[in-house]
Amino acid sequence: MIQQTARHGRERVHRTSSDPTRERIVAAAIDLFSERSFEGASTRELAARAGVAQPLLNYHFRSKDDLWRAAVDQLFAEMTQALDVRTAEVVADGDVAGAKAVIREFICFSARRPQLHRMITQESKADGPRMDYLVDRHVRPVYERTAQIMGTLVKAGAVPDIPVEHLYYIITGAGPTMFVHGPECRRLTSLDPTDDAVIQAHADAVCLLLFGPHVTTTTK
Amino acid sequence: MIQQTARHGRERVHRTSSDPTRERIVAAAIDLFSERSFEGASTRELAARAGVAQPLLNYHFRSKDDLWRAAVDQLFAEMTQALDVRTAEVVADGDVAGAKAVIREFICFSARRPQLHRMITQESKADGPRMDYLVDRHVRPVYERTAQIMGTLVKAGAVPDIPVEHLYYIITGAGPTMFVHGPECRRLTSLDPTDDAVIQAHADAVCLLLFGPHVTTTTK
DNA sequence: CAAGAGTCTGATCAATTGATAAAACAATCT
DNA sequence: AGATTGTTTTATCAATTGATCAGACTCTTG
């Protein structure tokens, strides 16, 4: 068949570089996918949350999978941007204070955007095309960089001598979990995981364990 | 209407205290729910994995929700059993070594049964009836006990001075995450998260951060 | 204004969902 | 043997799923 649905025939023209409707859909997708997982989020509810009709999703995106990828891309773009600001200062391999700042920024970002870790967790537990995309495209670079940073910290004696693989999962576990479990945390404890004081306290706690007692530097 | 589907009319007789078919279904439910989330696991695939016809699920369980609860109950029963063996020794509030053993056991259990943390994470990110069940019935008691144990450790100076709420999420994050992300971990690193040496190394790492350098006591 | 490209919606598709009904099978007891 | 109770399956239900199509709406441009 020659005819395809309007859009997908020729690739997006990308005239104004930003499409507000498309962005609203991606924003809704980030929220709903991270809450309900890929299968649990129906295209109807997705569309409703974005305030559009359901078939519009298939106009802006080839498929539900395609929308999911757009959501993941958006989240990682945000994280990369948030961390690069800090990472720029750490390029030199010895900058322990800078590395510490990056870790704090990572935790703060996780609190601001727990959706990212939720979507990673949802796909990390069983192989599949979405995990392929996630790992190959996004997670591995983050892991490589983290491993490198942590390696220099260990070498510098700033952090206990633990294999970087374990440090990676300790940091990506201990940091975001409180915020990934936000609603549960609010019920279980009396803490509000969206409160900036709580976020800073958590970053303090993780850094205290990793780096030992220090003067606390507040991030953002 | 008087007639109900065979089983649900009168409550289960529980004659032999164990029903192999029911257990196979629950086992399949634990695996599939934890992999694919509640909505993502279809009753057809559930039944296929248990090797039975699909309507049999509704014979043994009132609904899909009911089966989910049975799966959660089973997982928490296993954890309680695994931890109680250790916790029994710690009742006395000062037993630091015992508390440490409990934490190691918790990590080992998380490696053996990552499904538990997967199911918790899936429901902890948005309120709903399943989160009600999970938190009220299972998670809160675990949290209370953990908070109490960690409180005594902090008081004894065995662990850095961090509020117990944060310690809870640090432990439940840093401990299980590597195993919850098992398949991803295998791709990302060269470690096999089901390998006992890796599990012990991870427990060592977490304990090193929490308790500082010590002679390592191997658990199980 | 008319034309046409781009954006959006209502109606509808086949496929899959959780659940039910009725009937087949199995086991025990008389 | 026949009857009864408990277990399992085949066939089917209405509802929901992701996706498609044709048409309506909005723009700009001629």
Side-chain angles (χ1 to χ4, degrees), chain B residues 99-143:
Chain B
K100 191 172 166 180
V102 171
I103 290 180
R104 286 194 74 96
E105 185 61 39
F106 170 76
I107 294 174
C108 290
F109 175 81
S110 305
R112 233 182 306 134
R113 279 247 161 225
Q115 297 98 329
L116 180 102
H117 294 276
R118 289 181 193 145
M119 293 184 75
I120 294 177
T121 300
Q122 282 160 4
E123 305 301 332
S124 293
K125 52 203 177 187
D127 298 275
R130 286 193 299 279
M131 174 165 149
D132 293 344
Y133 187 83
L134 211 41
V135 170
D136 296 341
R137 188 97 141 210
H138 292 301
V139 177
R140 198 183 308 277
V142 172
Y143 170 74

Side-chain angles (χ1 to χ4, degrees), chain A:
Chain A
M1 285 244 211
I2 290 180
Q3 197 229 14
Q4 298 194 10
T5 329
R7 175 63 70 76
H8 312 314
R10 296 166 178 229
E11 275 311 305
R12 182 72 203 261
V13 211
H14 225 296
R15 55 177 73 233
T16 55
S17 91
S18 89
D19 181 333
T21 308
R22 189 188 163 103
E23 283 171 13
R24 288 224 324 284
I25 295 176
V26 171
I30 287 174
D31 283 347
L32 205 61
F33 278 141
S34 70
E35 251 185 44
R36 299 241 221 287
S37 90
F38 181 80
E39 294 93 349
S42 79
T43 55
R44 259 100 179 162
E45 192 166 354
L46 245 354
R49 206 175 273 212
V52 299
Q54 180 255 349
L56 195 62
L57 305 195
N58 286 93
Y59 174 72
H60 285 280
F61 304 91
R62 223 181 306 275
S63 65
K64 191 185 178 186
D65 255 276
D66 205 36
L67 173 54
W68 180 88
R69 281 190 288 269
V72 165
D73 290 347
Q74 165 71 19
L75 282 171
F76 270 94
E78 288 180 22
M79 187 175 82
T80 301
Q81 192 199 6
L83 290 191
D84 271 359
V85 178
R86 301 276 166 178
T87 316
E89 316 160 2
V90 198
V91 271
D93 266 10
D95 187 0
V96 175
K100 191 171 168 181
V102 171
I103 291 180
R104 286 195 75 97
E105 184 61 40
F106 170 76
I107 293 174
C108 290
F109 174 82
S110 305
R112 235 182 305 134
R113 276 253 173 234
Q115 296 97 330
L116 179 100
H117 295 276
R118 287 180 194 144
M119 293 183 75
I120 294 177
T121 300
Q122 282 160 3
E123 305 301 335
S124 293
K125 52 203 176 188
D127 299 275
R130 287 193 298 279
M131 175 166 150
D132 292 345
Y133 187 83
L134 210 41
V135 170
D136 296 342
R137 188 96 145 212
H138 293 300
V139 177
R140 197 184 309 276
V142 172
Y143 170 74
E144 302 287 3
R145 187 130 66 133
T146 307
Q148 192 221 339
I149 291 179
M150 295 315 295
T152 69
L153 288 178
V154 169
K155 211 167 293 175
V159 146
D161 188 16
I162 293 172
V164 290
E165 298 92 343
H166 295 275
L167 277 174
Y168 173 77
Y169 282 105
I170 285 171
I171 292 172
T172 58
T177 298
M178 171 180 246
F179 312 109
V180 168
H181 291 224
E184 178 211 76
C185 173
R186 212 183 278 244
R187 280 205 213 180
L188 222 49
T189 75
S190 54
L191 299 185
D192 175 3
T194 61
D195 178 5
D196 195 64
V198 172
I199 298 172
Q200 291 300 328
H202 196 70
D204 288 346
V206 173
C207 286
L208 176 58
L209 286 179
L210 280 173
F211 298 96
H214 277 306
V215 264
T216 50
T217 28
T218 304
T219 305
K220 167 82 183 282

